[in-house]
Amino acid sequence: MQEQDIPIDINTGKLLDWLINRRHCKKDWHTNILTIREKINNAIQDMPAHDGIALLLSGAYINYFYCVKIVEILKETEADTKNLFGRYGSQRMKDWQEILRLYEKDNVYLAEAAQMLMRNVNYEVPSIKKQIQKLEQSLTDFEKKEMEYKKSENMARTEYNALCKQLGINGYSTARRELMEKVAELPEIYRSVAAKTKCLDKVVEFYSAFVEFTLGRQYDSNCVSMIKYVIEKGNTTTYEYTYGEAPVSIVEPAINIKADEDENDGGIGVDTNAIDFGNLDLNGEIDFGEEVNLEPAEGDIDWGDESLEQPATEEINYNISLEESGIVVEAVGHEGGAATGCDAYTILDNPVTRVDFINQLFELEAFMKLRLYEFKGDDKKNLLSFSQMQDASSILQLSTTESTQNMLDNIQVVLSEILHNDVQHLHNIKHYPRYVDVVVTGLRQKLNLIGRMVAQQESMRQKQEDAQNQTDKLRPLLKLVVQRTRELQTEIEQDISKKYKNRTVHLTGGVNTL
């Protein structure tokens, strides 16, 4: 095989060193480049209108091979300036011919082209590809975030609608007015509870007989007295329950709830940004710190704490005389006086007496559950065995599993009604002004959260659009740079081939490997 047939393989990354080592270019070639680049910048300021020149000058760094093509085009556009000796009188042609002369001196053009090829292969093309990949990853991330924000929006909207449904209102804008209107439903609810409480007469009789039988008659007098009272007289005012007579007039305290207009003008003075969204539970459990508990644990209900912004209530003294209590007797002969303040509330409405009533219901429920357990158990050592029950009243002796279960069911019906979430909400709305503030604030927070999620989604969509626009701009640029790099690689191979009697030259590791 002849030497002419052996191809020359040059690694693209070492092309410039290869040219310098073989003395095709000098080590200080770059000192002449600044002068050439300055002349090119000046020359392109005065160019003829030609599509070929415009294409060459757009989108790429001008190198020697572009200058050669520009001169070829100028030979056509400046042909009328050519003299008899074949020289051009056009300054444009003189400028570009001067540029070619400086490039060809010591093969400066070849060194510059090698450096440009190396830079494109090692940096420019990978950098553009990396930018595109980064933008594509950003597009994916923005889409995921948009979906997350949409999910959060749907969750917040669902929670908001569920809370409005639970409260029985249409929305935040009219929340206070609607809540105030719903408080009017409480008297009818309490009438229903009182009517169902009358069905507990057998339960109270059974329990009282048991207490009397086991502890003695002296312990029976105060046994579930509140329930006994409601069974006998119904849901009367606290005044009548305390003093034993109906009042002449009833003046309930006004409900201290701001109107919706006040909320819009200044609101409740609560910083919504400082309130945790987790404080409001859709199941009716709203965190009031230590002040309000919507879902009290069984047997641990205490709504009479003085910290709930209620007027302090003295312990009930059943031996208070009319003179000591300050009751004003009407001159027309009617006994009693005016029920005001907490005394104007009904037993089931007054926070203090309501707690007593609920606690006594729990007391009955626990007792009946124990009795039911004893009936169903096989233990012969029950508290009230057959031999022990011989001296008991007939209601105790004749009790069965079915009758005990029936009495327990009646108790649980009353408990479920008075402890229903809707009733709890209405009770808190009426008696604890801060409760309404917290509810309205919770609604406002949900709306603010929905608004923020919608804004975040719009922001993500805008970022996706921006990233897509940048990607759309980079893809044509990448294609152009790769195309020009391939052209440059081919031109360098052909130029080096001419210096070695047209031997085949391969630049390995070039743009084709990217």
Side-chain angles (χ1 to χ4, degrees):
M1 180 181 292
Q2 298 181 358
E3 182 182 0
Q4 186 69 23
D5 299 328
I6 301 175
I8 301 175
D9 294 332
I10 308 171
N11 186 283
T12 303
K14 299 179 180 180
L15 176 60
L16 184 58
D17 293 336
W18 187 89
L19 292 172
I20 294 174
N21 290 337
R22 284 156 181 75
R23 301 183 183 278
H24 294 299
C25 305
K26 293 184 177 181
K27 291 183 179 181
D28 60 347
W29 64 270
H30 51 80
T31 58
N32 299 320
I33 287 297
L34 293 178
T35 302
I36 297 173
R37 301 313 305 180
E38 184 178 356
K39 288 183 175 295
I40 290 176
N41 291 334
N42 293 332
I44 62 177
Q45 302 300 321
D46 180 26
M47 298 296 292
H50 191 278
D51 293 339
I53 293 178
L55 181 62
L56 289 171
L57 297 179
S58 64
Y61 188 83
I62 299 177
N63 55 47
Y64 167 78
F65 302 103
Y66 282 17
C67 294
V68 172
K69 294 177 181 179
I70 290 175
V71 170
E72 291 298 324
I73 294 174
L74 289 178
K75 287 180 180 180
E76 299 176 3
T77 61
E78 309 297 322
D80 55 347
T81 64
K82 190 175 182 180
N83 57 27
L84 297 176
F85 300 99
R87 295 183 179 181
Y88 292 89
S90 170
Q91 186 61 38
R92 294 173 182 169
M93 179 63 78
K94 292 180 179 179
D95 291 341
W96 286 102
Q97 287 177 337
E98 176 65 14
I99 292 171
L100 290 182
R101 186 185 65 79
L102 294 175
Y103 257 137
E104 291 168 355
K105 184 179 180 181
D106 297 327
N107 294 325
V108 172
Y109 74 93
L110 195 56
E112 183 194 45
Q115 186 186 55
M116 290 175 62
L117 178 64
M118 293 167 58
R119 185 175 65 245
N120 287 352
V121 170
N122 296 329
Y123 301 104
E124 294 296 334
V125 174
S127 176
I128 297 175
K129 285 186 174 181
K130 188 174 182 179
Q131 290 183 54
I132 293 175
Q133 291 176 353
K134 187 176 180 180
L135 288 171
E136 289 176 343
Q137 182 62 43
S138 297
L139 272 173
T140 303
D141 294 341
F142 292 149
E143 289 176 358
K144 289 182 178 179
K145 288 184 178 180
E146 182 184 0
M147 293 177 63
E148 291 174 359
Y149 289 134
K150 182 63 177 178
K151 182 178 179 181
S152 298
E153 178 203 349
N154 292 336
M155 290 179 60
R157 198 178 297 278
T158 300
E159 292 173 357
Y160 173 80
N161 293 333
L163 183 57
C164 290
K165 183 178 180 180
Q166 183 179 4
L167 295 171
I169 61 177
N170 294 324
Y172 165 76
S173 60
T174 58
R176 293 180 181 274
R177 177 176 56 79
E178 293 185 61
L179 290 175
M180 291 174 65
E181 292 174 354
K182 287 187 67 65
V183 171
E185 300 175 6
L186 277 176
E188 183 61 32
I189 295 174
Y190 290 144
R191 277 193 291 271
S192 175
V193 173
K196 293 177 181 178
T197 303
K198 293 183 181 296
C199 298
L200 302 182
D201 54 344
K202 294 296 183 182
V203 181
V204 173
E205 182 182 356
F206 182 84
Y207 184 50
S208 298
F210 181 88
V211 173
E212 180 183 351
F213 177 73
T214 55
L215 301 178
R217 183 175 297 276
Q218 66 274 18
Y219 294 99
D220 179 49
S221 59
N222 292 327
C223 177
V224 290
S225 58
M226 184 73 68
I227 296 179
K228 289 179 180 178
Y229 182 87
V230 174
I231 292 174
E232 181 182 353
K233 296 189 176 182
N235 185 32
T236 67
T237 62
T238 306
Y239 180 99
E240 183 175 350
Y241 173 73
T242 304
Y243 303 117
E245 59 182 5
V248 174
S249 61
I250 301 174
V251 182
E252 282 195 10
I255 300 177
N256 185 20
I257 301 179
K258 298 182 180 69
D260 294 317
E261 295 77 15
D262 298 333
E263 171 72 13
N264 296 332
D265 292 340
I268 54 182
V270 179
D271 184 5
T272 57
N273 295 325
I275 299 178
D276 187 3
F277 287 96
N279 289 347
L280 190 54
D281 191 324
L282 296 181
N283 293 324
E285 297 182 0
I286 299 179
D287 185 5
F288 286 83
E290 297 181 354
E291 296 190 47
V292 179
N293 184 4
L294 288 183
E295 297 292 339
E298 291 191 5
D300 189 25
I301 303 179
D302 185 6
W303 294 61
D305 195 285
E306 292 181 358
S307 64
L308 297 178
E309 302 180 3
Q310 284 294 111
T313 304
E314 296 291 335
E315 182 179 355
I316 298 175
N317 185 351
Y318 297 93
N319 297 320
I320 298 176
S321 64
L322 296 180
E323 291 77 6
E324 292 175 346
S325 64
I327 298 176
V328 179
V329 180
E330 293 289 331
V332 295
H334 295 289
E335 294 183 352
T340 60
C342 292
D343 287 342
Y345 294 132
T346 62
I347 294 173
L348 300 182
D349 193 22
N350 190 318
V352 177
T353 54
R354 181 177 187 272
V355 170
D356 292 339
F357 179 79
I358 294 173
N359 285 339
Q360 290 178 16
L361 287 175
F362 280 126
E363 182 180 345
L364 287 178
E365 182 187 38
F367 168 74
M368 298 310 298
K369 284 182 177 180
L370 179 60
R371 290 298 297 145
L372 191 61
Y373 173 78
E374 291 176 349
F375 275 122
K376 294 180 178 180
D378 296 331
D379 188 1
K380 303 301 183 181
K381 297 181 180 180
N382 288 334
L383 180 60
L384 295 179
S385 63
F386 178 77
S387 59
Q388 293 174 314
M389 294 293 291
Q390 292 180 353
D391 298 331
S393 62
S394 60
I395 191 172
L396 292 178
Q397 295 186 34
L398 298 176
S399 61
T400 63
T401 302
E402 291 75 14
S403 62
T404 304
Q405 181 65 58
N406 184 55
M407 288 187 285
L408 177 60
D409 292 341
N410 291 337
I411 296 171
Q412 291 176 339
V413 167
V414 178
L415 268 175
S416 63
E417 183 161 348
I418 196 169
L419 293 179
H420 193 277
N421 285 339
D422 293 345
V423 181
Q424 297 280 57
H425 280 305
L426 295 179
H427 177 79
N428 293 339
I429 291 167
K430 181 174 181 179
H431 295 283
Y432 310 113
R434 286 192 65 247
Y435 177 88
V436 180
D437 294 342
V438 172
V439 170
V440 174
T441 300
L443 290 172
R444 181 197 301 166
Q445 289 173 343
K446 294 298 179 186
L447 286 179
N448 290 343
L449 179 59
I450 293 172
R452 288 199 300 272
M453 293 302 100
V454 171
Q456 290 290 354
Q457 291 177 63
E458 181 60 32
S459 176
M460 290 301 104
R461 284 192 288 269
Q462 184 61 46
K463 289 181 179 180
Q464 289 179 56
E465 184 178 350
D466 295 341
Q468 188 62 55
N469 291 337
Q470 294 181 44
T471 304
D472 294 340
K473 292 179 181 178
L474 286 175
R475 290 187 187 281
L477 177 61
L478 174 63
K479 184 178 179 180
L480 178 62
V481 173
V482 170
Q483 177 187 345
R484 296 291 173 85
T485 304
R486 287 198 178 106
E487 293 174 357
L488 181 61
Q489 179 173 324
T490 302
E491 288 167 344
I492 293 175
E493 291 173 344
Q494 293 174 355
D495 193 273
I496 295 176
S497 177
K498 293 177 182 178
K499 299 182 184 298
Y500 288 91
K501 299 178 181 180
N502 294 326
R503 286 176 61 184
T504 303
V505 177
H506 297 300
L507 293 179
T508 62
V511 70
N512 295 325
T513 62
L514 294 177

